Amino acid sequence: MPNHKIILNSHDLLEKSRGLRFALPQLGEFATGFVVRFHGKAHAYVNQCAHVPVELDWEQGNFFTVAKDYLICATHGAHYQPDTGHCVLGPCKGKSLQVLPVTEQNQQITIHLDKLHK
Ligand code: FES
């Protein structure tokens, strides 16, 4: 039975820096999710573009634009709001990444996968 949560160390997730990736075997053998920190808060998503179902990051963990204001898909450049997963620019404008609920306490980030859907 797959795990229903992922636990990560808060110290490993820095503001507007590299995202942390994790496997999501519930969605398929190679499926991944990721978490980033933006304005102090952790935000996690399924690592799959709303345009074409590919991972956002070519260079693993590299999700932010150069200006660090949006998450960007490396394939065609869709821009997503880091705190909502909403696509505001690019071929999937108006769509969203799949949000994974996150809680953080006692220096631990917990990503809850109970409601994960394909
Ligand atoms: S696959 Fe992400 S913008 Fe096209």
Side-chain angles (χ1 to χ4, degrees), residues 14-116:
L14 303 178
E15 174 73 16
K16 297 183 185 174
S17 187
R18 297 185 70 80
L20 303 177
R21 292 165 50 103
F22 46 85
L24 289 177
Q26 298 91 332
L27 296 186
E29 196 179 348
F30 302 108
T32 61
F34 68 96
V35 59
V36 292
R37 191 179 296 286
F38 187 72
H39 294 164
K41 203 165 178 292
H43 299 277
Y45 302 100
V46 174
N47 191 5
Q48 188 178 82
C49 188
H51 177 218
V52 177
V54 296
E55 292 189 340
L56 300 182
D57 53 333
W58 272 340
E59 193 204 326
Q60 293 203 350
N62 203 357
F63 294 98
F64 279 101
T65 55
V66 175
K68 309 283 187 196
D69 47 359
Y70 292 101
L71 307 177
I72 184 168
C73 174
T75 302
H76 309 112
H79 282 45
Y80 295 93
Q81 285 176 333
D83 51 352
T84 63
H86 196 67
C87 181
V88 292
L89 184 79
C92 47
K93 189 174 173 186
K95 295 188 182 172
S96 287
L97 299 174
Q98 187 180 338
V99 176
L100 299 172
V102 182
T103 51
E104 185 168 21
Q105 57 182 3
N106 302 327
Q107 309 305 324
Q108 266 191 353
I109 297 167
T110 304
I111 297 153
H112 303 269
L113 304 176
D114 327 56
K115 300 207 171 80
L116 193 59

